[in-house]
Amino acid sequence: MLTALAGCDIDALVFTAEMYGVQLDQLAAVLEVPVERARGVAARWRSLGLAESARLGPGPPWVWGHPARDAACGLGYPAGPPPLSRLAHIRAVTAVRLALQATTAYQRARAFWRGERRIRAAVRAGLRDHLPDGELHWSAGAAPSWADECWAIQAELTRQAVTRTTEIMRELLARTGDYGCPGAQAAEPGRPPRHARALYLCSPAALPGVAQARDELGAFGTRIEIRNLPASAALPLMACRHRPAVSSPRR
């Protein structure tokens, strides 16, 4: 089966698994090919028993992994369609990841995205800590102002209670240990923070609440950056006007 796959197939299959699933237009963006070409790739994956595809909601079909994919890619995630209740959020997080990975800063630094699913796979069962939608790991070759940093990434589509958002921000910024570490190391006084900053990508509806929550943190909130979600984050047929997609991080 591996001999039937190119390197770009492997990368795209891993990407799809890490995001729980992707819509066809996003798969095309991952593969850097037109949508019709991506449709053919998805069909080939299905014929090899590596993926499934179906229309789960508005817009293009979704593609997700098949159990046989584990043998080809060495992944241990449970295979199955993304939850219907999370389709909008999964698409938004995928759009954020694609936008960040397309920036010159990300590519030059060879940065690394660690998604929520990968984080969750490493934590203890029953862990109640808030998990970010992703972590952005910068290498030593990144711009001096964020070299070797780890950022927490949050995608916000709807307005949440300000108190809860403030709690999550405080938890993300206070964390010192990796997810799954012993509880005493999660927020250990005197140790450097795990997340040098938290980057919030917001819809117009969510932005005021996130901004208010950041203000509630006072000086602690200077490590929170707020930007607009990429225009491609909304589910098709549910699109609303957004500002331009994510730009390179500020130094």
Short mmCIF file of all heavy atoms in Angstrom, two decimals, residues 128-182:
data_model
loop_
_atom_site.label_atom_id
_atom_site.label_comp_id
_atom_site.label_asym_id
_atom_site.label_seq_id
_atom_site.Cartn_x
_atom_site.Cartn_y
_atom_site.Cartn_z
N ARG A 128 -8.53 17.46 32.92
CA ARG A 128 -9.55 18.49 32.77
C ARG A 128 -8.96 19.82 32.31
O ARG A 128 -9.68 20.81 32.21
CB ARG A 128 -10.30 18.68 34.10
CG ARG A 128 -10.98 17.40 34.59
CD ARG A 128 -11.73 17.63 35.89
NE ARG A 128 -12.81 18.57 35.73
CZ ARG A 128 -14.05 18.24 35.33
NH1 ARG A 128 -14.32 16.98 35.05
NH2 ARG A 128 -15.00 19.15 35.23
N ASP A 129 -7.67 19.87 32.04
CA ASP A 129 -7.06 21.12 31.58
C ASP A 129 -7.66 21.54 30.25
O ASP A 129 -8.05 20.70 29.42
CB ASP A 129 -5.55 20.95 31.41
CG ASP A 129 -4.83 20.68 32.71
OD1 ASP A 129 -5.51 20.65 33.76
OD2 ASP A 129 -3.61 20.48 32.69
N HIS A 130 -7.71 22.85 30.03
CA HIS A 130 -8.13 23.34 28.72
C HIS A 130 -7.01 23.08 27.72
O HIS A 130 -5.85 23.39 27.98
CB HIS A 130 -8.44 24.84 28.77
CG HIS A 130 -8.71 25.42 27.42
ND1 HIS A 130 -9.93 25.31 26.81
CD2 HIS A 130 -7.90 26.08 26.55
CE1 HIS A 130 -9.88 25.89 25.63
NE2 HIS A 130 -8.65 26.37 25.44
N LEU A 131 -7.35 22.51 26.58
CA LEU A 131 -6.37 22.28 25.52
C LEU A 131 -6.55 23.34 24.45
O LEU A 131 -7.67 23.59 23.99
CB LEU A 131 -6.55 20.89 24.90
CG LEU A 131 -6.44 19.70 25.84
CD1 LEU A 131 -6.55 18.40 25.05
CD2 LEU A 131 -5.14 19.73 26.63
N PRO A 132 -5.46 23.97 23.99
CA PRO A 132 -5.59 24.94 22.90
C PRO A 132 -5.96 24.23 21.61
O PRO A 132 -5.81 23.02 21.47
CB PRO A 132 -4.19 25.55 22.82
CG PRO A 132 -3.28 24.49 23.34
CD PRO A 132 -4.06 23.77 24.40
N ASP A 133 -6.46 25.00 20.65
CA ASP A 133 -6.77 24.42 19.34
C ASP A 133 -5.51 23.99 18.61
O ASP A 133 -5.55 23.14 17.71
CB ASP A 133 -7.54 25.44 18.49
CG ASP A 133 -8.92 25.71 19.05
OD1 ASP A 133 -9.56 24.77 19.56
OD2 ASP A 133 -9.36 26.88 18.97
N GLY A 134 -4.40 24.55 19.00
CA GLY A 134 -3.12 24.17 18.43
C GLY A 134 -1.99 24.89 19.14
O GLY A 134 -2.23 25.84 19.90
N GLU A 135 -0.79 24.40 18.93
CA GLU A 135 0.41 25.09 19.40
C GLU A 135 1.29 25.35 18.19
O GLU A 135 1.47 24.47 17.34
CB GLU A 135 1.18 24.24 20.41
CG GLU A 135 0.54 24.14 21.77
CD GLU A 135 1.41 23.38 22.76
OE1 GLU A 135 2.20 22.50 22.33
OE2 GLU A 135 1.30 23.65 23.97
N LEU A 136 1.85 26.54 18.14
CA LEU A 136 2.78 26.91 17.08
C LEU A 136 4.17 26.95 17.68
O LEU A 136 4.45 27.77 18.56
CB LEU A 136 2.40 28.27 16.50
CG LEU A 136 3.21 28.78 15.31
CD1 LEU A 136 3.23 27.77 14.18
CD2 LEU A 136 2.66 30.11 14.82
N HIS A 137 5.04 26.04 17.24
CA HIS A 137 6.40 25.93 17.77
C HIS A 137 7.37 26.56 16.78
O HIS A 137 7.50 26.09 15.64
CB HIS A 137 6.76 24.47 18.01
CG HIS A 137 5.96 23.81 19.10
ND1 HIS A 137 6.45 23.61 20.37
CD2 HIS A 137 4.69 23.34 19.11
CE1 HIS A 137 5.54 23.02 21.10
NE2 HIS A 137 4.45 22.85 20.37
N TRP A 138 8.04 27.60 17.24
CA TRP A 138 9.03 28.28 16.40
C TRP A 138 10.41 27.69 16.66
O TRP A 138 10.77 27.39 17.79
CB TRP A 138 9.05 29.78 16.70
CG TRP A 138 7.79 30.48 16.33
CD1 TRP A 138 6.76 30.83 17.16
CD2 TRP A 138 7.40 30.91 15.02
NE1 TRP A 138 5.76 31.44 16.46
CE2 TRP A 138 6.12 31.51 15.14
CE3 TRP A 138 8.00 30.84 13.77
CZ2 TRP A 138 5.44 32.04 14.04
CZ3 TRP A 138 7.32 31.37 12.67
CH2 TRP A 138 6.07 31.96 12.83
N SER A 139 11.19 27.57 15.62
CA SER A 139 12.54 27.04 15.75
C SER A 139 13.53 28.14 16.11
O SER A 139 13.17 29.33 16.14
CB SER A 139 12.98 26.38 14.43
OG SER A 139 13.18 27.39 13.44
N ALA A 140 14.76 27.74 16.34
CA ALA A 140 15.81 28.73 16.63
C ALA A 140 16.06 29.64 15.44
O ALA A 140 16.61 30.73 15.58
CB ALA A 140 17.10 28.02 17.04
N GLY A 141 15.63 29.20 14.24
CA GLY A 141 15.85 30.00 13.05
C GLY A 141 14.77 31.02 12.78
O GLY A 141 14.81 31.71 11.75
N ALA A 142 13.82 31.15 13.68
CA ALA A 142 12.75 32.14 13.51
C ALA A 142 13.27 33.53 13.79
O ALA A 142 14.42 33.72 14.22
CB ALA A 142 11.57 31.81 14.42
N ALA A 143 12.42 34.53 13.55
CA ALA A 143 12.80 35.91 13.86
C ALA A 143 13.23 36.00 15.32
O ALA A 143 12.66 35.33 16.18
CB ALA A 143 11.62 36.84 13.61
N PRO A 144 14.24 36.80 15.62
CA PRO A 144 14.80 36.85 16.99
C PRO A 144 13.75 37.07 18.08
O PRO A 144 13.89 36.56 19.18
CB PRO A 144 15.80 38.00 16.92
CG PRO A 144 16.20 38.06 15.49
CD PRO A 144 14.98 37.68 14.71
N SER A 145 12.71 37.83 17.76
CA SER A 145 11.73 38.17 18.80
C SER A 145 10.85 36.99 19.20
O SER A 145 10.17 37.05 20.22
CB SER A 145 10.87 39.34 18.35
OG SER A 145 10.23 39.04 17.13
N TRP A 146 10.82 35.91 18.40
CA TRP A 146 10.03 34.75 18.82
C TRP A 146 10.74 33.41 18.56
O TRP A 146 10.12 32.36 18.55
CB TRP A 146 8.65 34.76 18.18
CG TRP A 146 8.60 34.70 16.68
CD1 TRP A 146 8.77 33.61 15.89
CD2 TRP A 146 8.32 35.78 15.79
NE1 TRP A 146 8.62 33.93 14.56
CE2 TRP A 146 8.34 35.26 14.47
CE3 TRP A 146 8.04 37.14 15.97
CZ2 TRP A 146 8.11 36.05 13.35
CZ3 TRP A 146 7.81 37.93 14.85
CH2 TRP A 146 7.86 37.38 13.56
N ALA A 147 12.06 33.42 18.38
CA ALA A 147 12.82 32.18 18.19
C ALA A 147 12.65 31.26 19.39
O ALA A 147 12.69 31.71 20.55
CB ALA A 147 14.29 32.50 17.98
N ASP A 148 12.42 29.99 19.12
CA ASP A 148 12.26 28.94 20.15
C ASP A 148 11.02 29.12 21.01
O ASP A 148 10.89 28.46 22.04
CB ASP A 148 13.50 28.87 21.06
CG ASP A 148 14.72 28.32 20.34
OD1 ASP A 148 14.55 27.37 19.54
OD2 ASP A 148 15.83 28.83 20.56
N GLU A 149 10.11 29.99 20.61
CA GLU A 149 8.88 30.16 21.39
C GLU A 149 7.82 29.14 21.01
O GLU A 149 7.82 28.58 19.91
CB GLU A 149 8.32 31.57 21.19
CG GLU A 149 9.12 32.67 21.86
CD GLU A 149 8.43 34.02 21.78
OE1 GLU A 149 7.41 34.15 21.07
OE2 GLU A 149 8.93 34.95 22.43
N CYS A 150 6.90 28.94 21.92
CA CYS A 150 5.70 28.13 21.68
C CYS A 150 4.49 29.01 21.92
O CYS A 150 4.40 29.65 22.98
CB CYS A 150 5.67 26.92 22.61
SG CYS A 150 4.13 25.97 22.56
N TRP A 151 3.60 29.08 20.95
CA TRP A 151 2.40 29.90 21.07
C TRP A 151 1.17 29.01 21.16
O TRP A 151 1.06 28.00 20.45
CB TRP A 151 2.24 30.82 19.87
CG TRP A 151 3.32 31.83 19.66
CD1 TRP A 151 4.45 32.00 20.40
CD2 TRP A 151 3.38 32.81 18.62
NE1 TRP A 151 5.21 33.03 19.88
CE2 TRP A 151 4.57 33.54 18.78
CE3 TRP A 151 2.54 33.12 17.55
CZ2 TRP A 151 4.95 34.57 17.94
CZ3 TRP A 151 2.91 34.15 16.70
CH2 TRP A 151 4.10 34.87 16.90
N ALA A 152 0.23 29.40 22.00
CA ALA A 152 -1.07 28.75 22.03
C ALA A 152 -1.97 29.40 20.99
O ALA A 152 -2.00 30.63 20.88
CB ALA A 152 -1.70 28.87 23.42
N ILE A 153 -2.69 28.60 20.22
CA ILE A 153 -3.56 29.11 19.16
C ILE A 153 -5.01 28.79 19.50
O ILE A 153 -5.35 27.65 19.83
CB ILE A 153 -3.21 28.47 17.80
CG1 ILE A 153 -1.70 28.61 17.51
CG2 ILE A 153 -4.05 29.11 16.70
CD1 ILE A 153 -1.22 30.03 17.38
N GLN A 154 -5.87 29.80 19.42
CA GLN A 154 -7.30 29.63 19.68
C GLN A 154 -8.09 30.23 18.52
O GLN A 154 -7.83 31.36 18.10
CB GLN A 154 -7.70 30.36 20.97
CG GLN A 154 -7.13 29.75 22.25
CD GLN A 154 -7.85 28.47 22.63
OE1 GLN A 154 -7.23 27.45 22.87
NE2 GLN A 154 -9.17 28.53 22.70
N ALA A 155 -9.05 29.47 18.01
CA ALA A 155 -9.97 29.97 16.98
C ALA A 155 -11.34 30.15 17.63
O ALA A 155 -11.87 29.22 18.23
CB ALA A 155 -10.06 28.99 15.82
N GLU A 156 -11.89 31.35 17.53
CA GLU A 156 -13.16 31.68 18.18
C GLU A 156 -14.18 32.11 17.15
O GLU A 156 -13.99 33.11 16.45
CB GLU A 156 -12.96 32.79 19.22
CG GLU A 156 -11.96 32.44 20.33
CD GLU A 156 -12.47 31.36 21.26
OE1 GLU A 156 -13.70 31.16 21.32
OE2 GLU A 156 -11.64 30.70 21.92
N LEU A 157 -15.27 31.35 17.05
CA LEU A 157 -16.33 31.66 16.10
C LEU A 157 -17.50 32.39 16.73
O LEU A 157 -18.15 33.21 16.08
CB LEU A 157 -16.84 30.37 15.46
CG LEU A 157 -15.93 29.73 14.40
CD1 LEU A 157 -16.44 28.33 14.07
CD2 LEU A 157 -15.89 30.59 13.15
N THR A 158 -17.81 32.05 17.97
CA THR A 158 -18.98 32.63 18.64
C THR A 158 -18.55 33.33 19.92
O THR A 158 -17.51 33.01 20.50
CB THR A 158 -20.01 31.55 18.97
OG1 THR A 158 -19.41 30.56 19.82
CG2 THR A 158 -20.51 30.87 17.69
N ARG A 159 -19.38 34.24 20.36
CA ARG A 159 -19.07 34.97 21.59
C ARG A 159 -19.29 34.07 22.79
O ARG A 159 -20.34 33.45 22.94
CB ARG A 159 -19.94 36.22 21.70
CG ARG A 159 -19.66 37.01 22.98
CD ARG A 159 -20.09 38.43 22.89
NE ARG A 159 -19.68 39.19 24.07
CZ ARG A 159 -19.52 40.49 24.10
NH1 ARG A 159 -19.73 41.19 22.98
NH2 ARG A 159 -19.14 41.11 25.19
N GLN A 160 -18.30 33.99 23.65
CA GLN A 160 -18.37 33.19 24.87
C GLN A 160 -18.45 34.13 26.07
O GLN A 160 -18.19 35.33 25.97
CB GLN A 160 -17.13 32.30 24.99
CG GLN A 160 -16.85 31.44 23.77
CD GLN A 160 -17.89 30.37 23.54
OE1 GLN A 160 -18.48 29.86 24.49
NE2 GLN A 160 -18.12 30.03 22.28
N ALA A 161 -18.78 33.57 27.22
CA ALA A 161 -18.80 34.36 28.45
C ALA A 161 -17.41 34.93 28.70
O ALA A 161 -16.41 34.22 28.63
CB ALA A 161 -19.23 33.50 29.63
N VAL A 162 -17.34 36.22 28.99
CA VAL A 162 -16.05 36.88 29.19
C VAL A 162 -15.29 36.25 30.35
O VAL A 162 -14.07 36.06 30.27
CB VAL A 162 -16.26 38.39 29.43
CG1 VAL A 162 -14.94 39.06 29.82
CG2 VAL A 162 -16.82 39.06 28.18
N THR A 163 -16.01 35.89 31.42
CA THR A 163 -15.33 35.30 32.57
C THR A 163 -14.65 33.98 32.20
O THR A 163 -13.52 33.72 32.62
CB THR A 163 -16.31 35.06 33.72
OG1 THR A 163 -17.43 34.28 33.23
CG2 THR A 163 -16.83 36.37 34.29
N ARG A 164 -15.32 33.15 31.40
CA ARG A 164 -14.74 31.88 30.99
C ARG A 164 -13.55 32.10 30.06
O ARG A 164 -12.52 31.43 30.19
CB ARG A 164 -15.81 31.01 30.29
CG ARG A 164 -15.27 29.70 29.74
CD ARG A 164 -14.61 28.86 30.81
NE ARG A 164 -14.08 27.61 30.28
CZ ARG A 164 -13.09 26.94 30.83
NH1 ARG A 164 -12.52 27.39 31.95
NH2 ARG A 164 -12.67 25.82 30.30
N THR A 165 -13.67 33.04 29.13
CA THR A 165 -12.56 33.32 28.22
C THR A 165 -11.35 33.82 29.00
O THR A 165 -10.21 33.44 28.70
CB THR A 165 -12.98 34.36 27.16
OG1 THR A 165 -14.12 33.86 26.44
CG2 THR A 165 -11.85 34.61 26.18
N THR A 166 -11.59 34.66 30.00
CA THR A 166 -10.49 35.17 30.83
C THR A 166 -9.81 34.03 31.58
O THR A 166 -8.58 33.97 31.68
CB THR A 166 -11.01 36.21 31.83
OG1 THR A 166 -11.65 37.27 31.12
CG2 THR A 166 -9.86 36.79 32.65
N GLU A 167 -10.59 33.09 32.10
CA GLU A 167 -10.03 31.93 32.80
C GLU A 167 -9.13 31.11 31.87
O GLU A 167 -8.04 30.68 32.27
CB GLU A 167 -11.15 31.05 33.34
CG GLU A 167 -11.92 31.64 34.51
CD GLU A 167 -13.10 30.77 34.89
OE1 GLU A 167 -13.28 29.70 34.27
OE2 GLU A 167 -13.85 31.16 35.82
N ILE A 168 -9.60 30.90 30.64
CA ILE A 168 -8.82 30.11 29.69
C ILE A 168 -7.52 30.84 29.34
O ILE A 168 -6.44 30.24 29.28
CB ILE A 168 -9.64 29.84 28.42
CG1 ILE A 168 -10.78 28.86 28.73
CG2 ILE A 168 -8.76 29.29 27.30
CD1 ILE A 168 -11.75 28.66 27.60
N MET A 169 -7.61 32.15 29.09
CA MET A 169 -6.42 32.93 28.79
C MET A 169 -5.41 32.84 29.93
O MET A 169 -4.21 32.62 29.71
CB MET A 169 -6.79 34.40 28.56
CG MET A 169 -7.50 34.68 27.27
SD MET A 169 -7.93 36.45 27.15
CE MET A 169 -8.52 36.53 25.46
N ARG A 170 -5.89 32.98 31.15
CA ARG A 170 -5.00 32.94 32.30
C ARG A 170 -4.33 31.57 32.42
O ARG A 170 -3.14 31.46 32.72
CB ARG A 170 -5.78 33.27 33.58
CG ARG A 170 -4.90 33.64 34.78
CD ARG A 170 -5.75 33.92 36.01
NE ARG A 170 -6.71 34.98 35.77
CZ ARG A 170 -6.44 36.27 35.86
NH1 ARG A 170 -5.20 36.65 36.16
NH2 ARG A 170 -7.37 37.19 35.65
N GLU A 171 -5.11 30.52 32.18
CA GLU A 171 -4.56 29.17 32.25
C GLU A 171 -3.50 28.93 31.18
O GLU A 171 -2.44 28.35 31.45
CB GLU A 171 -5.69 28.14 32.11
CG GLU A 171 -5.24 26.69 32.19
CD GLU A 171 -6.39 25.71 32.06
OE1 GLU A 171 -7.54 26.08 32.37
OE2 GLU A 171 -6.13 24.57 31.61
N LEU A 172 -3.77 29.40 29.96
CA LEU A 172 -2.81 29.22 28.87
C LEU A 172 -1.50 29.95 29.18
O LEU A 172 -0.40 29.42 28.93
CB LEU A 172 -3.40 29.73 27.56
CG LEU A 172 -4.54 28.93 26.95
CD1 LEU A 172 -5.13 29.68 25.75
CD2 LEU A 172 -4.08 27.55 26.52
N LEU A 173 -1.60 31.16 29.69
CA LEU A 173 -0.41 31.97 29.93
C LEU A 173 0.37 31.54 31.17
O LEU A 173 1.58 31.76 31.25
CB LEU A 173 -0.80 33.44 30.04
CG LEU A 173 -1.42 34.08 28.79
CD1 LEU A 173 -1.79 35.53 29.06
CD2 LEU A 173 -0.46 33.99 27.60
N ALA A 174 -0.32 30.94 32.13
CA ALA A 174 0.33 30.53 33.38
C ALA A 174 0.97 29.15 33.27
O ALA A 174 1.79 28.78 34.11
CB ALA A 174 -0.67 30.54 34.53
N ARG A 175 0.61 28.40 32.25
CA ARG A 175 1.10 27.03 32.14
C ARG A 175 2.61 27.00 31.95
O ARG A 175 3.18 27.78 31.18
CB ARG A 175 0.41 26.33 30.97
CG ARG A 175 0.74 24.85 30.91
CD ARG A 175 -0.11 24.08 29.96
NE ARG A 175 0.07 22.66 30.22
CZ ARG A 175 -0.67 21.94 31.04
NH1 ARG A 175 -1.69 22.51 31.67
NH2 ARG A 175 -0.42 20.67 31.26
N THR A 176 3.28 26.06 32.64
CA THR A 176 4.73 25.91 32.52
C THR A 176 5.12 24.55 31.95
O THR A 176 6.15 24.43 31.27
CB THR A 176 5.42 26.09 33.89
OG1 THR A 176 4.87 25.15 34.83
CG2 THR A 176 5.22 27.51 34.41
N GLY A 177 4.32 23.52 32.20
CA GLY A 177 4.66 22.18 31.72
C GLY A 177 3.88 21.80 30.48
O GLY A 177 2.87 22.42 30.14
N ASP A 178 4.34 20.75 29.82
CA ASP A 178 3.64 20.23 28.65
C ASP A 178 2.34 19.57 29.11
O ASP A 178 2.16 19.22 30.28
CB ASP A 178 4.52 19.21 27.93
CG ASP A 178 4.03 18.89 26.53
OD1 ASP A 178 2.98 19.43 26.11
OD2 ASP A 178 4.70 18.08 25.85
N TYR A 179 1.43 19.38 28.18
CA TYR A 179 0.18 18.71 28.48
C TYR A 179 0.46 17.23 28.74
O TYR A 179 1.22 16.59 28.01
CB TYR A 179 -0.82 18.91 27.35
CG TYR A 179 -1.24 20.35 27.24
CD1 TYR A 179 -0.55 21.22 26.39
CD2 TYR A 179 -2.27 20.86 28.02
CE1 TYR A 179 -0.90 22.56 26.32
CE2 TYR A 179 -2.63 22.20 27.95
CZ TYR A 179 -1.94 23.05 27.10
OH TYR A 179 -2.27 24.38 27.04
N GLY A 180 -0.14 16.72 29.81
CA GLY A 180 0.11 15.35 30.21
C GLY A 180 1.19 15.22 31.27
O GLY A 180 1.45 14.12 31.75
N CYS A 181 1.84 16.33 31.64
CA CYS A 181 2.87 16.28 32.67
C CYS A 181 2.21 16.12 34.04
O CYS A 181 1.00 16.33 34.19
CB CYS A 181 3.72 17.55 32.64
SG CYS A 181 2.85 19.04 33.22
N PRO A 182 2.96 15.77 35.09
CA PRO A 182 2.40 15.72 36.44
C PRO A 182 1.76 17.05 36.81
O PRO A 182 2.24 18.12 36.42
CB PRO A 182 3.62 15.42 37.31
CG PRO A 182 4.57 14.71 36.41
CD PRO A 182 4.37 15.34 35.05
#
